[in-house]
Amino acid sequence: MLLKSVEHIFWLGRYLERLDDTARLINATSHLLIDSHQDTQFGWPILLEVLGQDSKAILGTAAAAVEGEQGKLSVADTEKAVMAYLINAADSPVSILYTSSALKYNARTIRPLIPRDMWEELNALDLFLQQNCSMAVSRQQRYQLMSEVSRRCQMVVGVLDGTMLRSEAFDLFNIGRHVERADMTTRIMDVMVLQQLQPTQIKRPKFRWTSILNALGGVESYQHYVAHQAADVDAIDYLLTYADFPRSIAYCLNRAGASARGLPHSVSILQQVYQLQSLLQHQALSELSTEQLHSLIDHIQAGIISLHQAILAPCQASCQAPLAAQTQQKSA
Amino acid sequence: MTAPIHTSSFSGYPFTDGCYDELVAATGQPRLPAAAIARFIDKHGRAELLARQVLLNQTISAMGVCFTLYSEGQNIDRGWPLDVMPRTIPLSEWRKTSAGLTQRLQALNLFIDDLYHEQKVLKDGIVPADLVLDSRNFLAPCRGVSPPFGVWAHICGTDLVRDESGRFLVLEDNLRVPSGVSYMLENRTVMKRVFPELFADSTIVPVDDYPHQLWKMLASLSPRPGDVPCMVLLTPGIYNSAYFEHSFLAQQMGIELAENTDLTVEDDGVYLRTLHGRKKVDVIYRRVDDIFLDPTVFRPDSVLGVPGLFNAWAKGQVAIANAPGSGVADDKVIYAYVPKIIEYYLGEKPLIDNVPTFLCSDEKERGYVLANLDQLVVKPANESGGYGILIGPRSTQVERDDMAAAIIANPRNFIAQPTLALSTAPTLCDGELEPRHLDLRPFILQGQDLYCSTGGLSRVALRKGSLVVNSSQGGGSKDTWIINDEV
């Protein structure tokens, strides 16, 4: 495999997973709304913050666009602005539409590595999103749309699993998916923590956000997990450490590590994986304060960034930035 | 030759006067190879044909078959235009045509090899020396280089047209980086999904052998015969208009798709940067023009090239298809001499004729061209993609005046041909079957062996009366069915 392709196939896995996870995050927060008491309000800006976006700036721009409101957005307008930013805003680097374009760009670059059936699924996914994400949607439609995004992402993965050559490209794709998933799971936990309370020194309460777990497809296995643990556990323990659940951090690290074994630079990748695993193993999670929990999540996210860098290290070392071939020639 | 069936499928078909129709005989009955599609229309009606066109368009967008246009500095992907009506050719006729095409390529390769060595053809006065030596396609650094089998142009896309009698003529030879074969292959894949019932009786000869034949031809060029060759397709990158084809062919052949930054040259060896370190390359199927290949030999400002690549090739360390310098024979002025070139090297009459051609470099012919600009098609010698062409009968006085000035300023750069009555084929336009002009680009391979594709890419001018078939200028395509009439 070309050295250059390492980056593209890895990002293909990340973007595909990001699409699925963003859709799930959107649905998870919609569920939170349904669960919330009427006198508590969901903090929409948190959603932007956990995705690393500047919520003040984004909502400020949105407020400026709403006339006669004196720069103050209603809750409904805030929801609309946040959702537009996550779903179809052209200038948003975290939107579903942007992610889909990035997915397609990477797929196009490494087209020879992708089986035809998967290419067609990816293509259908992008067409679907271009057609359906541009319209403003009600909460109910949004739920349907996001469920369809997740479903189609799963179809791409399924087709790939059934047709792709077991090669380094396949390994890198899977590493990309699991690194992204681990990253997103930490972000979803952050929403839970930040939504519940501002970080304090007080020992944290139990998190039982079954609606979020539902959006992650994990509510049943969560019940199974709680029923079979001797200790008093909650959703945080579950999402961080329960290695049998395919969206837990522990599971994602196991999978990324397993897929990395055949790569020439597996040693440096596995080193990063072990460091992350030890972070999880040496914490008495239920004893942490919300502030400590928040800081643990930060550490995990930093570890994921190092892992990402270790995976792409061979490209960074010797790849020149591919020159955009602006001097095009006409072909006969 | 018409089918022994009577159908109303083409009743009321509005023939274009003076043009040969590929599918419909003058009687209004289908020609023999078109019998199956005619029966289909009879049985299911025009409405079903329309429904299949809708299905076909959906299939193309689902498959992601596209081409890229440049517009105001932007690259726009467009869905590949394919007409639901196939273009049919009997196998018996195709055998003769493909023999003519391979004959032509063999002669052209002998010609190129001669030009870069002894230049007997110039000394014997068959082709005027100044036409070759002054051509910017004659690359002096290639002199004395001997590529495997003496073959320079390994992949040739020859454009064929039919005249009013239905006879195939060669319109031009594309010997540099001919494109379109991926669409020939994808058109067939699409049509099989859209008309499964028509492919069931298996008289349509398959086309899917091409990628394997291309692979075999490229492998035969390897400087390490006997070992598994390391082969790459060199593309200018994902923004090139033919990128779809580059990635498609690399995938179909199972070879790497590389850009210049993926290759390095050390001690005249070409190496690929892989995840496992560098790997020596044996064969490069390049889709980058000659002058961009190596900035140390050709254009120093090329950002698409690989420094040192030319020397690696000249020393036989790596094979390049098509070899640098092959373009010298696809100049439209040289084209006029190809019939003589065939006779000179092979001692045979050309099996397929040229379109009559006037050379503006010849004083007498130039006079005729300038006096008859409104009747002729004038082409620049070195453009491709249908750019810079004047179609006399459709031109304005201003366009003709501009062209006359350009010819007088640089006569060597222009040729002229009579405006051809290009053949037509029924094409679905706004729900009706109407005649549209078309050409055919078969793909011919030469390495150790010779091969000609089964049919080729049929390109059709979708605008009524138009003769311009290029997809960048409103052209579409048709699946080309070679129908086995020998069973």
Side-chain angles (χ1 to χ4, degrees):
Chain A
M1 183 173 56
L2 290 183
L3 189 52
K4 176 188 66 185
S5 304
V6 168
E7 200 162 3
H8 294 295
I9 189 83
F10 173 71
W11 272 113
L12 189 75
R14 279 205 77 153
Y15 279 125
L16 184 64
E17 184 67 27
R18 186 174 296 179
L19 205 53
D20 184 5
D21 293 349
T22 307
R24 287 173 190 272
L25 183 64
I26 289 169
N27 270 356
T29 50
S30 299
H31 279 283
L32 270 182
L33 277 167
I34 299 160
D35 280 1
S36 300
H37 290 290
Q38 286 205 319
D39 55 343
T40 62
Q41 281 192 343
F42 182 72
W44 288 105
I46 289 173
L47 214 44
L48 297 173
E49 296 292 333
V50 298
L51 290 173
Q53 304 300 303
D54 181 351
S55 64
K56 282 206 182 78
I58 293 159
L59 294 174
T61 313
V66 179
E67 281 179 67
E69 295 283 326
Q70 288 147 4
K72 180 89 178 100
L73 285 174
S74 67
V75 175
D77 283 337
T78 308
E79 176 181 349
K80 221 194 262 174
V82 170
M83 282 302 147
Y85 198 77
L86 292 186
I87 296 175
N88 57 29
D91 56 346
S92 158
V94 294
S95 75
I96 296 261
L97 270 189
Y98 175 86
T99 305
S100 179
S101 305
L103 186 63
K104 185 126 193 240
Y105 166 81
N106 283 285
R108 204 180 139 118
T109 308
I110 48 164
R111 166 101 201 261
L113 294 175
I114 301 174
R116 180 188 274 261
D117 288 357
M118 181 190 175
W119 171 258
E120 290 190 17
E121 281 302 329
L122 277 173
N123 206 37
L125 172 64
D126 186 57
L127 279 175
F128 172 81
L129 293 174
Q130 300 298 338
Q131 281 162 10
N132 291 281
C133 283
S134 45
M135 48 190 118
V137 290
S138 69
R139 274 185 197 165
Q140 193 268 339
Q141 287 168 316
R142 188 202 301 156
Y143 178 77
Q144 300 271 336
L145 183 61
M146 292 304 114
S147 301
E148 183 62 16
V149 171
S150 284
R151 198 183 69 83
R152 283 171 179 263
C153 289
Q154 294 304 310
M155 278 171 64
V156 176
V157 174
V159 168
L160 176 122
D161 194 63
T163 54
M164 191 167 171
L165 208 64
R166 265 40 182 181
S167 58
E168 285 157 346
F170 182 77
D171 290 337
L172 281 158
F173 175 82
N174 276 315
I175 296 172
R177 276 182 65 214
H178 290 96
V179 167
E180 179 68 25
R181 187 181 289 179
D183 184 51
M184 272 299 212
T185 300
T186 61
R187 290 173 193 275
I188 288 170
M189 283 192 293
D190 236 5
V191 176
M192 296 163 75
V193 173
L194 295 173
Q195 176 62 20
Q196 185 86 359
L197 285 173
Q198 286 303 307
T200 67
Q201 301 294 338
I202 307 160
K203 190 178 157 190
R204 67 184 177 86
K206 292 280 171 252
F207 292 102
R208 303 194 193 284
W209 296 107
T210 50
S211 49
I212 283 191
L213 296 178
N214 204 12
L216 292 177
V219 79
E220 293 82 5
S221 44
Y222 175 62
Q223 308 298 5
H224 176 88
Y225 167 73
V226 171
H228 289 81
Q229 294 293 314
D232 192 12
V233 291
D234 70 358
I236 294 289
D237 302 270
Y238 174 68
L239 288 178
L240 280 176
T241 65
Y242 190 44
D244 289 346
F245 175 52
R247 294 192 170 269
S248 70
I249 307 283
Y251 174 85
C252 293
L253 292 175
N254 287 351
R255 281 299 303 271
S259 296
R261 289 218 163 82
L263 299 176
H265 56 312
S266 62
V267 173
S268 54
I269 298 174
L270 290 174
Q271 205 174 4
Q272 296 298 330
V273 171
Y274 296 147
Q275 279 181 16
L276 276 162
Q277 283 170 332
S278 63
L279 265 181
L280 298 182
Q281 278 156 8
H282 295 99
Q283 302 279 345
L285 293 172
S286 57
E287 298 305 315
L288 299 181
S289 68
T290 47
E291 191 180 78
Q292 287 168 317
L293 186 58
H294 187 62
S295 127
L296 172 62
I297 291 173
D298 275 355
H299 276 108
I300 295 172
Q301 286 183 340
I304 290 173
I305 292 170
S306 306
L307 174 58
H308 175 110
Q309 285 163 346
I311 294 159
L312 295 185
C315 311
Q316 312 304 343
S318 63
C319 278
Q320 296 160 260
L323 289 163
Q326 297 301 339
T327 329
Q328 295 289 340
Q329 77 217 22
K330 286 188 295 260
S331 296
Chain B
M1 186 171 59
T2 58
I5 58 160
H6 287 278
T7 97
S8 56
S9 45
F10 297 118
S11 64
Y13 179 63
F15 288 99
T16 301
D17 282 346
C19 294
Y20 177 89
D21 194 88
E22 301 273 339
L23 270 68
V24 192
T27 57
Q29 292 299 313
R31 296 183 195 279
L32 188 58
I37 184 73
R39 272 196 296 268
F40 177 90
I41 299 171
D42 260 7
K43 188 170 163 196
H44 300 287
R46 291 276 169 91
E48 181 61 20
L49 204 57
L50 284 170
R52 299 288 170 108
Q53 180 76 59
V54 172
L55 173 63
L56 182 152
N57 294 344
Q58 286 166 351
T59 306
I60 285 187
S61 75
M63 283 169 58
V65 187
C66 61
F67 70 106
T68 309
L69 275 179
Y70 312 113
S71 178
E72 290 159 5
Q74 284 202 310
N75 295 281
I76 305 160
D77 278 349
R78 288 274 170 83
W80 174 247
L82 171 61
D83 181 52
V84 73
M85 285 291 290
R87 183 247 194 107
T88 53
I89 299 171
L91 178 60
S92 50
E93 181 189 17
W94 187 250
R95 285 191 197 285
K96 292 175 202 151
T97 310
S98 59
L101 292 165
T102 50
Q103 175 199 47
R104 195 169 172 103
L105 183 57
Q106 271 181 292
L108 286 170
N109 272 313
L110 290 165
F111 172 63
I112 302 168
D113 202 48
D114 185 16
L115 290 182
Y116 290 118
H117 291 95
E118 295 168 54
Q119 302 188 337
K120 283 184 294 189
V121 70
L122 306 183
K123 288 169 191 153
D124 290 344
I126 307 298
V127 176
D130 59 330
L131 278 189
V132 170
L133 303 177
D134 296 347
S135 164
R136 63 178 157 106
N137 294 322
F138 180 76
L139 303 181
C142 296
R143 291 186 75 159
V145 178
S146 298
F149 316 112
V151 173
W152 295 67
H154 307 93
I155 301 132
C156 172
T158 301
D159 290 344
L160 296 176
V161 293
R162 284 193 204 261
D163 64 10
E164 63 282 357
S165 70
R167 186 174 60 127
F168 273 126
L169 298 173
V170 173
L171 186 64
E172 62 182 56
D173 306 288
N174 293 287
L175 299 177
R176 280 173 274 192
V177 284
S179 63
V181 75
S182 59
Y183 299 110
M184 171 187 97
L185 297 165
E186 290 288 67
N187 281 356
R188 178 58 56 87
T189 306
V190 172
M191 289 293 271
K192 278 175 158 173
R193 292 191 195 184
V194 173
F195 288 109
E197 59 271 67
L198 289 175
F199 286 87
D201 70 358
S202 78
T203 59
I204 304 165
V205 186
V207 296
D208 55 7
D209 194 28
Y210 183 85
H212 174 65
Q213 293 290 343
L214 179 59
W215 187 92
K216 230 173 69 182
M217 183 281 290
L218 292 171
S220 77
L221 308 178
S222 169
R224 299 183 301 114
D227 205 352
V228 180
C230 172
M231 311 206 284
V232 304
L233 191 155
L234 177 61
T235 173
I238 69 163
Y239 299 110
N240 183 269
S241 62
Y243 179 77
F244 171 84
E245 172 152 311
H246 305 163
S247 61
F248 178 88
L249 288 175
Q251 181 180 47
Q252 293 292 306
M253 290 191 285
I255 68 175
E256 295 289 359
L257 178 63
E259 289 177 42
N260 61 335
T261 49
D262 299 313
L263 297 173
T264 50
V265 178
E266 274 172 51
D267 297 331
D268 294 326
V270 181
Y271 296 89
L272 192 62
R273 291 177 218 260
T274 78
L275 180 56
H276 291 275
R278 51 176 224 173
K279 188 174 178 198
K280 187 149 193 244
V281 178
D282 300 307
V283 182
I284 299 174
Y285 174 24
R286 54 99 173 199
R287 296 294 298 257
V288 173
D289 270 347
D290 279 345
I291 52 164
F292 293 108
L293 269 183
D294 184 344
T296 63
V297 180
F298 305 113
R299 273 179 65 154
D301 61 335
S302 170
V303 294
L304 305 172
V306 183
L309 182 58
F310 184 88
N311 269 338
W313 168 74
K315 292 191 175 165
Q317 289 287 308
V318 69
I320 299 180
N322 291 350
S326 325
V328 68
D330 90 353
D331 183 304
K332 288 184 180 65
V333 178
I334 299 298
Y335 160 88
Y337 293 90
V338 173
K340 284 185 190 160
I341 288 171
I342 293 173
E343 289 191 45
Y344 178 72
Y345 289 104
L346 300 178
E348 298 168 6
K349 290 273 173 207
L351 298 173
I352 312 175
D353 287 331
N354 266 8
V355 173
T357 302
F358 304 100
L359 295 172
C360 297
S361 52
D362 179 290
E363 199 181 332
K364 216 171 109 195
E365 296 190 10
R366 179 167 67 242
Y368 176 82
V369 171
L370 290 172
N372 293 280
L373 277 178
D374 58 336
Q375 304 290 323
L376 299 170
V377 176
V378 185
K379 297 176 179 178
N382 283 310
E383 286 287 343
S384 58
Y387 291 94
I389 288 181
L390 176 89
I391 297 177
R394 313 251 159 83
S395 62
T396 63
Q397 187 63 46
V398 174
E399 285 167 340
R400 288 195 291 276
D401 291 346
D402 289 349
M403 183 54 89
I407 291 172
I408 290 161
N410 188 0
R412 159 69 179 85
N413 202 33
F414 294 93
I415 60 152
Q417 293 166 338
T419 309
L420 294 173
L422 289 193
S423 63
T424 58
T427 303
L428 198 60
C429 302
D430 295 328
E432 295 296 328
L433 288 178
E434 291 186 18
R436 288 292 182 271
H437 296 292
L438 73 175
D439 77 352
L440 178 63
R441 178 178 288 187
F443 296 86
I444 307 101
L445 306 177
Q446 186 177 2
Q448 189 165 21
D449 302 311
L450 280 155
Y451 171 83
C452 177
S453 59
T454 308
L457 176 64
S458 285
R459 301 184 300 173
V460 52
L462 293 177
R463 275 190 296 268
K464 190 170 187 166
S466 169
L467 298 172
V468 180
V469 297
N470 306 77
S471 53
S472 52
Q473 299 186 51
S477 71
K478 283 173 172 289
D479 191 20
T480 311
W481 290 3
I482 303 299
I483 303 285
N484 191 345
D485 56 345
E486 298 170 342
V487 282

